[in-house]
Amino acid sequence: MGTQEHQIDLGHLLAFDPLHHFPSPPSSREELVKECLQKGTELVQSIADTLFNLPSTEDIDGPLVKLPPPTTRLPREKHLPKPKPPTKWELFAKAKGIKNRKKDKIVYDEQTGTWKRRHGYDRVNDDEDIPIIEAKMTDEAGEDPFAKRRAEKKKRVEKQGKNRLQNLKQAAKVGALPSHIQLAATALPITGTQTAPKKVSKNELEDVASMAATATASGGKFDKKLPGEKPEKHKGKYRKFLPVVEGTGIGSLEKQQTEKILNKLISKNSHEILNVDKAINMYNVKKEKKRKNRQGKDSSTSSKLKPKKQLQKKSLKKGTSKKGKSK
Amino acid sequence: MLKIKTPKSGKAKREIEKRAPKLVESGKKTLILQGTKTSNVLNAVLTEIYHLKKDSAVRYTRKNENIRPFESGGETSLEFFSLKTDCSIFVFGSHSKKRPDNLVIGRTYDHHIYDLVEVGVENFKSMESFTYDKKLSPKVGSKPFIAFIGEGFESVDELKHLKEVLLDLLRGEVVENLNLAGLDHAYICTAVSSNRVFFTHCAMRLKKSGTIVPRMELVEVGPSMDLVVRRHRLPNDSVRKEAMKTAKEQPKKKVKNVSQDVIQGKVGKIYVPDQQVGSVALPYKAKGLKRERREAKMKHETNDRAPKKQKENSE
């Protein structure tokens, strides 16, 4: 192995030997390991050569060396932070040429003759500390000037909040929202007219999606799904196909199917159809009920009879309702 | 209607600011997790990688059945975990008949999958199986040397990609000042063939040599394994361009109380606190002061002696 070119990246303490190739194949595992270690030692030695020759400063633990920036470029893990767009006030100040003047935290208060802080507890020129407000000619009678001051301050604070929100929205549009701030949408009910739009839950959305999936012939089986979407619960459409081969002539299943459809069609379009079978059944049932009632009145009512009676009642009700519909 | 949500405590705010995108990035955190089925070998590999990167890694031990990195729908869980733990490299281990002892090493950009490399682990030897002088064992968090040997790393596309990913995974924090006494371990990767890489971890012993540069000696310490490259996915060109963007060189931070003057050159301001002239202790004893002290002492003595005498009399 003569002079070999090692690509050294000091910033990462990386060495790469692109010219080495193994005389195929390495005989055994131990040989391979030994050779790798040997080559590795060479590479590490060459890095150390350059590293220890850098100018070093003495530190408590040992010599400290300033590493050069790395040469191999690796991808970032997050996007570059975007510069914040200037706020409305900043634009205005720039246009007018207003410079920010540094203010002291402690200010001399003439009234009390002491040094007070500018903001916070017990501050200079506090709006609420004024004990007496002199009435001016422009003031109305019966108006509370203190309440007026408080209301004005509240309005000012609200306006400031709105401006701040606007500035943040502008920043969010560019993508430069400060990292500790999040803008969350809150649903505000329109007072008097509607309730707040209800938040649709995940399960509800899944149900709706599976319902929509039945619009396709395959029941949504081959629909393109978003990443993470679960497969639909009701796979396929429920359709019953008759068997291909079934007996001779028209099989009974086909007959039943056609009969059902025809009955439905005819019953819809015809008026005053009497379901003879059903009528007979109902009449018979009524008769039996009467007989049993008479029997029951004569003999002692046993608990066994009672539930039966209730069943009869139920069937009667059903009959009557259907009768009404067919008419 | 929008509401401004801000963190209510300083601690929460500091945590959020740590995760914000920065101009110059420090080391990436690694997420180590596993899929539906793992083998003994794979478990050992994952734990050892976690030990190697103890400070900057997060280990998940549950099975994750719905993670399939190479399929289009199977990445959402990974991206979610990467977002929650703020990790941008992940090592996903799984074992199946078709792909035994499979490791998928991937990177994320902005918490979306950037690229993936799938390797199979063979001939794994764990850290416990190596015998060596315990004094040499490397400390956690020290910056390692990384060596790549073999022309395969330049010629074969997959190995080139693997080299980049391994570098990202193995390098520690990005530091400007390095303490030379703290260098104690190295990773060696050798391209044995066009799809096989022999990976090992060695401790370094610095021996005295004639010059400033010490002689290096490598002792195999850590896990050693053969990585067989199976599949890989390169990043999209547009995403790659965006991820490789570097910030412009920031102007150096302003040093306070130093200014440049055209005539005088570099001028500095030194602030001296107010001198308390009255309360400074004098280094010498003034004669006048001595006399005053004497007089004061005498006055004191007359006051003191009188009561003392009385006491004696009374006793």
Side-chain angles (χ1 to χ4, degrees):
Chain A
M1 302 176 195
T3 49
Q4 269 161 3
E5 205 191 74
H6 300 161
Q7 291 174 5
I8 297 181
D9 177 3
L10 266 183
H12 284 146
L13 296 182
L14 169 75
F16 175 38
D17 178 12
L19 296 177
H20 178 88
H21 66 272
F22 276 95
S24 51
S27 34
S28 77
R29 183 109 186 127
E30 282 97 39
E31 287 276 322
L32 173 71
V33 172
K34 232 174 40 174
E35 199 176 335
C36 289
L37 277 187
Q38 195 189 25
K39 284 294 298 175
T41 325
E42 273 181 34
L43 282 176
V44 171
Q45 189 71 53
S46 57
I47 307 177
D49 281 339
T50 20
L51 189 64
F52 280 81
N53 284 326
L54 287 174
S56 67
T57 51
E58 276 300 316
D59 201 44
I60 319 163
D61 303 317
L64 214 65
V65 149
K66 187 165 186 297
L67 283 178
T71 48
T72 37
R73 277 175 48 191
L74 290 167
R76 287 177 60 94
E77 58 172 333
K78 295 187 185 121
H79 60 268
L80 280 168
K82 295 191 188 78
K84 215 171 74 157
T87 59
K88 269 184 90 177
W89 166 254
E90 279 173 9
L91 288 170
F92 178 78
K94 205 170 174 190
K96 284 272 184 167
I98 302 170
K99 287 243 161 47
N100 195 16
R101 253 179 259 158
K102 197 121 198 258
K103 298 178 186 76
D104 293 323
K105 282 196 188 158
I106 312 278
V107 189
Y108 185 70
D109 185 18
E110 270 105 27
Q111 228 181 16
T112 47
T114 51
W115 289 88
K116 284 193 178 176
R117 63 195 77 167
R118 187 185 287 274
H119 307 286
Y121 175 74
D122 192 25
R123 54 179 171 267
V124 172
N125 297 334
D126 198 348
D127 205 35
E128 295 152 18
D129 273 351
I130 303 171
I132 302 169
I133 302 176
E134 291 180 22
K136 287 191 280 201
M137 295 299 285
T138 49
D139 278 351
E140 293 173 13
E143 196 192 323
D144 184 6
F146 298 103
K148 199 168 117 184
R149 281 188 167 228
R150 258 181 272 137
E152 270 179 20
K153 174 154 184 165
K154 199 165 177 190
K155 258 202 297 186
R156 268 183 278 139
V157 170
E158 263 179 42
K159 180 174 180 284
Q160 176 54 31
K162 224 171 41 157
N163 288 345
R164 179 174 174 230
L165 186 63
Q166 282 297 96
N167 284 329
L168 287 173
K169 272 202 234 174
Q170 273 295 101
K173 221 168 37 163
V174 180
L177 199 61
S179 55
H180 58 276
I181 294 177
Q182 279 179 300
L183 291 177
T186 54
L188 193 70
I190 306 166
T191 48
T193 47
Q194 295 166 321
T195 51
K198 198 177 82 145
K199 222 180 175 183
V200 191
S201 72
K202 191 169 149 183
N203 291 330
E204 281 179 21
L205 276 174
E206 277 180 11
D207 287 337
V208 168
S210 58
M211 271 192 264
T214 56
T216 51
S218 57
K221 196 164 141 187
F222 302 108
D223 282 348
K224 205 178 201 182
K225 292 223 171 293
L226 289 170
E229 201 176 322
K230 291 194 191 136
E232 63 283 348
K233 292 173 210 169
H234 301 277
K235 287 198 191 91
K237 288 185 151 179
Y238 296 126
R239 273 194 77 179
K240 189 175 156 190
F241 291 103
L242 296 171
V244 177
V245 179
E246 204 229 300
T248 51
I250 303 177
S252 60
L253 287 169
E254 204 178 326
K255 193 178 175 195
Q256 273 179 22
Q257 205 182 39
T258 42
E259 223 180 65
K260 207 164 117 184
I261 296 169
L262 281 172
N263 281 338
K264 275 194 190 161
L265 284 171
I266 292 168
S267 68
K268 271 193 189 160
N269 294 326
S270 64
H271 313 279
E272 286 184 352
I273 278 190
L274 182 63
N275 190 346
V276 182
D277 299 321
K278 251 200 176 123
I280 292 169
N281 275 339
M282 277 168 57
Y283 176 71
N284 285 337
V285 159
K286 240 185 180 176
K287 228 168 72 177
E288 271 196 46
K289 190 183 147 199
K290 271 190 187 161
R291 208 192 311 141
K292 280 199 179 147
N293 269 341
R294 251 185 276 131
Q295 276 184 3
K297 277 179 190 168
D298 296 342
S299 62
S300 58
T301 50
S302 58
S303 56
K304 280 187 183 175
L305 281 172
K306 276 193 178 168
K308 261 192 179 173
K309 270 190 181 172
Q310 283 180 2
L311 278 168
Q312 284 174 3
K313 270 189 179 170
K314 267 194 181 172
S315 61
L316 264 175
K317 271 191 179 166
K318 265 193 181 174
T320 45
S321 64
K322 274 202 175 160
K323 237 189 173 178
K325 269 192 184 169
S326 61
K327 276 189 180 166
Chain B
M1 257 296 287
L2 287 175
K3 195 172 74 158
I4 303 172
K5 280 170 84 176
T6 44
K8 294 299 170 205
S9 62
K11 188 168 179 186
K13 185 172 177 198
R14 285 192 292 269
E15 286 298 315
I16 293 179
E17 306 239 291
K18 270 193 209 166
R19 298 191 172 190
K22 297 180 198 92
L23 220 53
V24 177
E25 282 181 345
S26 56
K28 299 184 180 179
K29 274 170 59 169
T30 312
L31 176 64
I32 306 174
L33 67 165
Q34 54 215 50
T36 328
K37 197 164 129 188
T38 43
S39 57
N40 279 335
V41 170
L42 206 61
N43 274 336
V45 170
L46 291 175
T47 20
E48 304 235 325
I49 296 179
Y50 177 58
H51 284 316
L52 286 176
K53 298 203 74 185
K54 203 57 177 291
D55 276 341
S56 62
V58 176
R59 174 98 167 94
Y60 278 0
T61 40
R62 280 209 202 157
K63 297 198 298 192
N64 299 296
E65 288 162 353
N66 52 352
I67 295 186
R68 286 174 223 283
F70 279 89
E71 285 170 37
S72 61
E75 308 172 323
T76 40
S77 242
L78 272 176
E79 291 179 0
F80 176 72
F81 289 146
S82 149
L83 182 67
K84 281 293 165 178
T85 57
D86 196 32
C87 291
S88 48
I89 315 183
F90 63 85
V91 176
F92 174 74
S94 66
H95 177 81
S96 68
K97 213 165 171 183
K98 188 174 174 192
R99 293 177 223 276
D101 298 333
N102 204 24
L103 272 186
V104 179
I105 311 175
R107 294 183 287 186
T108 59
Y109 175 73
D110 252 358
H111 304 295
H112 295 297
I113 302 278
Y114 178 71
D115 63 0
L116 304 161
V117 179
E118 187 175 51
V119 288
V121 176
E122 289 177 20
N123 300 328
F124 173 70
K125 282 175 86 181
S126 85
M127 283 198 272
E128 281 104 43
S129 59
F130 289 99
T131 47
Y132 52 92
D133 186 11
K134 291 299 173 193
K135 285 190 224 157
L136 291 173
S137 41
K139 308 266 184 320
V140 176
S142 56
K143 197 150 171 74
F145 281 91
I146 312 178
F148 287 96
I149 308 164
E151 58 182 6
F153 282 122
E154 216 171 60
S155 52
V156 183
D157 212 14
E158 292 164 324
L159 289 188
K160 239 198 309 198
H161 191 200
L162 181 66
K163 172 169 174 268
E164 201 188 317
V165 174
L166 278 179
L167 175 63
D168 221 348
L169 181 71
L170 298 172
R171 69 164 175 165
E173 277 182 35
V174 182
V175 284
E176 228 185 69
N177 297 320
L178 183 69
N179 187 352
L180 294 177
L183 296 166
D184 48 6
H185 63 143
Y187 294 101
I188 317 266
C189 309
T190 325
V192 175
S193 70
S194 66
N195 68 342
R196 188 179 276 260
V197 171
F198 171 65
F199 168 84
T200 183
H201 175 225
C202 310
M204 278 178 0
R205 205 194 309 200
L206 309 173
K207 286 200 160 167
K208 275 212 176 133
S209 74
T211 55
I212 318 167
V213 184
R215 197 159 62 83
M216 300 283 178
E217 207 180 280
L218 292 180
V219 177
E220 243 193 311
V221 163
S224 89
M225 56 188 106
D226 277 358
L227 303 174
V228 180
V229 178
R230 287 180 184 154
R231 301 187 270 186
H232 75 132
R233 193 205 286 180
L234 290 168
N236 287 338
D237 271 335
S238 55
V239 182
R240 188 170 174 279
K241 263 197 208 161
E242 210 192 310
M244 289 297 209
K245 269 196 222 169
T246 46
K248 277 184 281 183
E249 275 297 317
Q250 280 290 86
K252 283 235 170 100
K253 266 202 163 177
K254 197 174 151 202
V255 186
K256 280 188 173 179
N257 297 323
V258 172
S259 61
Q260 287 280 2
D261 196 11
V262 182
I263 303 167
Q264 292 165 317
K266 198 172 181 187
V267 179
K269 272 192 203 172
I270 306 175
Y271 289 92
V272 182
D274 279 341
Q275 289 179 309
Q276 308 285 344
V277 186
S279 55
V280 170
L282 285 174
Y284 52 86
K285 294 185 185 158
K287 253 193 177 169
L289 198 64
K290 261 189 177 171
R291 200 193 304 152
E292 273 178 8
R293 264 185 152 193
R294 225 183 301 141
E295 285 174 359
K297 224 179 173 183
M298 273 174 24
K299 260 198 221 168
H300 244 295
E301 273 180 10
T302 47
N303 287 340
D304 277 344
R305 271 197 198 148
K308 265 192 180 169
K309 272 188 177 164
Q310 281 175 359
K311 261 193 180 171
E312 281 172 10
N313 286 339
S314 65
E315 278 178 12

